Amino acid sequence: TGGHTTEILRLLSCLSESYSPRHYVLADSDKMSEAKIRSFEQKRAETFSKSQFTLDRIPRSREVRQSWISSVVTTLFSILYSLPLTYKRKPDLILCNGPGTCVPVCLSAFLLGLLRIKRTIIVYVESICRVETLSLSGKILYYFSDYFIVQWPDLKKKYPKSVYLGRIV
């Protein structure tokens, strides 16, 4: 919601029209991001006439200040909800940047790869605001992503698998 959406849309604005269709996955309680995405896609369609996108919603895996125990249950529910969606979309690439919604989607895609149904490349971009430590999503997806991008050199030192590209958003 909000900041994460702004960051991912900045990243997407750099992509060519070959990255189409784009499938956005939002938390079912996220109202702000849909408007931002629709506005972004409307502007993109002015440049790329064949631009296509979809919006899908999944249950939020974790609310702010939700207890750790109950967030395990809600995240498992979100993963179960994400599996048929990921199977239906069969993405070639997942580009995500931190909100908890990305964890169930990425884990679903990872599972489909393990089952040899569909191999998806997972690219995780840690938020620009994460200077010294990873977000919870980052701590989880560090082990499941194909490319883990950080935007601060101190994080690269702490997490050797990561790729430091400087500020990209």
Side-chain angles (χ1 to χ4, degrees):
T1 305
H4 288 300
T5 302
T6 300
E7 284 186 11
I8 202 73
L9 293 178
R10 283 186 188 153
L11 286 171
L12 291 176
S13 68
C14 300
L15 296 180
S16 73
E17 65 181 311
S18 63
Y19 289 92
S20 182
R22 284 166 306 288
H23 305 286
Y24 296 91
V25 180
L26 311 170
D28 54 6
S29 59
D30 183 351
K31 305 299 181 219
M32 257 195 317
S33 295
E34 182 174 349
K36 287 183 178 187
I37 291 166
R38 289 193 184 281
S39 174
F40 169 80
E41 286 293 338
Q42 186 176 15
K43 289 176 189 164
R44 189 170 174 91
E46 294 169 6
T47 305
F48 304 116
S49 60
K50 295 182 182 181
S51 185
Q52 296 177 331
F53 76 100
T54 61
L55 287 167
D56 291 298
R57 294 189 174 272
I58 64 169
R60 187 176 290 273
S61 56
R62 185 171 186 269
E63 295 286 349
V64 176
R65 294 185 206 92
Q66 183 178 347
S67 75
W68 292 105
I69 297 296
S70 66
S71 65
V72 169
V73 174
T74 54
T75 300
L76 287 173
F77 179 69
S78 293
I79 291 169
L80 289 174
Y81 198 92
S82 298
L83 271 168
L85 174 63
T86 309
Y87 179 79
K88 175 184 169 186
R89 297 290 184 209
K90 290 187 177 70
D92 295 317
L93 170 74
I94 294 177
L95 177 62
C96 55
N97 69 327
T101 305
C102 70
V103 174
V105 175
C106 290
L107 294 179
S108 297
F110 184 79
L111 181 59
L112 292 180
L114 287 178
L115 297 173
R116 298 183 190 262
I117 294 171
K118 171 64 175 164
R119 169 75 172 101
T120 301
I121 296 170
I122 299 172
V123 178
Y124 181 85
V125 180
E126 186 61 274
S127 176
I128 188 73
C129 68
R130 302 309 298 206
V131 178
E132 296 179 6
T133 61
L134 297 180
S135 62
L136 179 58
S137 298
K139 289 175 184 175
I140 295 167
L141 294 177
Y142 180 75
Y143 300 99
F144 296 98
S145 60
D146 296 285
Y147 300 96
F148 191 92
I149 300 169
V150 295
Q151 300 183 64
W152 294 96
D154 286 350
L155 286 178
K156 170 62 181 160
K157 292 174 193 168
K158 290 180 182 177
Y159 299 95
K161 175 191 166 192
S162 67
V163 177
Y164 170 66
L165 300 174
R167 287 185 64 177
I168 59 174
V169 294

